[in-house]
């Protein structure tokens, strides 16, 4: 009985040490640099975003990621339906995931926090024409509204500036 109890406690101790070591490694700067290199190398070109950042780190509790020094420039066809040339420069972007969805085997973004960002959006006639009806020059708000209702719970801008320019003739 004593041997099985000792073996059980040894097993639990080894499991805790390995789990703790794994968590510390995932949250370390070494892993962050390794992950940054891999992500920058394999970023899909058809996403419509040119991205550069200084560091990407993974957080275990709460689950998510922190992107430090991101510089994003949107291309012609991007997933956000924003105009080409829209730029986001920030100190950091924190993305947190929904924990229960992770346990269920799917990934869903819970919240995004953008710290000290400078966001530049220039809306031109081309942008509005893309959403206009063919026989009417009025903007169809039903097509534009998905821009303002993202598929996550919240987005927070901390100490940020948004430069929105509308050029209409």
């Amino acid at each position: 009985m004593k041997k099985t109890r000792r073996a059980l406690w040894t097993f639990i101790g080894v499991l805790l040490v390995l789990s703790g070591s794994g968590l510390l490694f995932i949250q370390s700067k070494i892993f962050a640099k390794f992950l940054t290199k891999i992500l920058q190398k394999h970023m899909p070109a058809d996403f419509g975003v040119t991205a550069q950042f200084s560091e990407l780190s993974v957080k275990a509790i709460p689950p998510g990621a922190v992107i430090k020094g991101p510089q994003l420039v949107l291309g012609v066809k991007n997933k956000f339906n924003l105009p080409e040339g829209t730029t986001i420069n920030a100190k950091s972007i924190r993305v947190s995931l929904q924990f229960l969805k992770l346990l269920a085997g799917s990934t869903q973004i819970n919240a995004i926090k953008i710290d000290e960002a400078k966001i530049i959006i220039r809306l031109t006639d081309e942008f509005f024409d893309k959403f206009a009806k063919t026989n009417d020059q009025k903007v169809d708000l039903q097509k534009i509204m998905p821009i303002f209702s993202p598929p996550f719970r919240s987005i927070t801008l901390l100490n940020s500036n948004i430069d929105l320019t509308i050029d209409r003739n």
Side-chain angles (χ1 to χ4, degrees):
M1 186 75 170
K2 271 191 166 182
K3 285 186 178 185
T4 55
R5 187 177 281 169
R6 179 178 282 160
L8 179 65
W9 283 112
T10 304
F11 174 73
I12 291 173
V14 168
L15 193 63
L16 286 174
V17 167
L18 289 176
S19 297
S21 299
L23 273 175
L24 288 175
F25 176 70
I26 286 174
Q27 295 180 345
S28 70
K29 288 203 177 265
I30 296 169
F31 183 72
K33 288 179 183 178
F34 173 72
L35 193 60
T36 300
K37 287 179 185 177
I38 288 176
L39 193 61
Q40 286 178 339
K41 189 177 188 181
H42 297 291
M43 183 155 246
D46 64 342
F47 195 61
V49 177
T50 304
Q52 292 184 343
F53 49 89
S54 60
E55 185 179 317
L56 173 72
S57 59
V58 177
K59 298 296 177 196
I61 300 172
V66 177
I67 305 167
K68 293 185 180 175
Q71 298 174 343
L72 307 171
V73 179
L74 300 183
V76 178
K77 290 185 178 181
N78 58 69
K79 300 280 183 185
F80 309 105
N81 290 328
L82 287 172
E84 175 186 9
T86 297
T87 60
I88 299 173
N89 296 318
K91 180 180 177 184
S92 67
I93 297 177
R94 296 180 187 133
V95 179
S96 64
L97 305 174
Q98 290 187 354
F99 183 70
L100 293 176
K101 292 279 187 176
L102 285 175
L103 292 177
S106 65
T107 305
Q108 187 172 4
I109 296 174
N110 184 35
I112 297 176
K113 291 183 182 178
I114 303 174
D115 192 21
E116 295 183 24
K118 182 174 183 184
I119 303 170
I120 301 171
I121 304 172
R122 186 169 183 214
L123 304 178
T124 61
D125 283 333
E126 295 171 3
F127 174 76
F128 290 104
D129 289 344
K130 188 167 51 169
F131 295 105
K133 295 179 181 177
T134 54
N135 58 357
D136 192 1
Q137 289 299 324
K138 293 181 182 176
V139 175
D140 185 4
L141 291 178
Q142 295 300 323
K143 291 182 180 177
I144 294 179
M145 286 314 290
I147 296 172
F148 303 107
S149 58
F152 41 85
R153 189 176 58 89
S154 70
I155 184 164
T156 306
L157 296 173
L158 303 169
N159 301 322
S160 301
N161 297 319
I162 299 176
D163 181 7
L164 177 63
T165 306
I166 300 175
D167 290 335
R168 302 274 328 239
N169 292 330

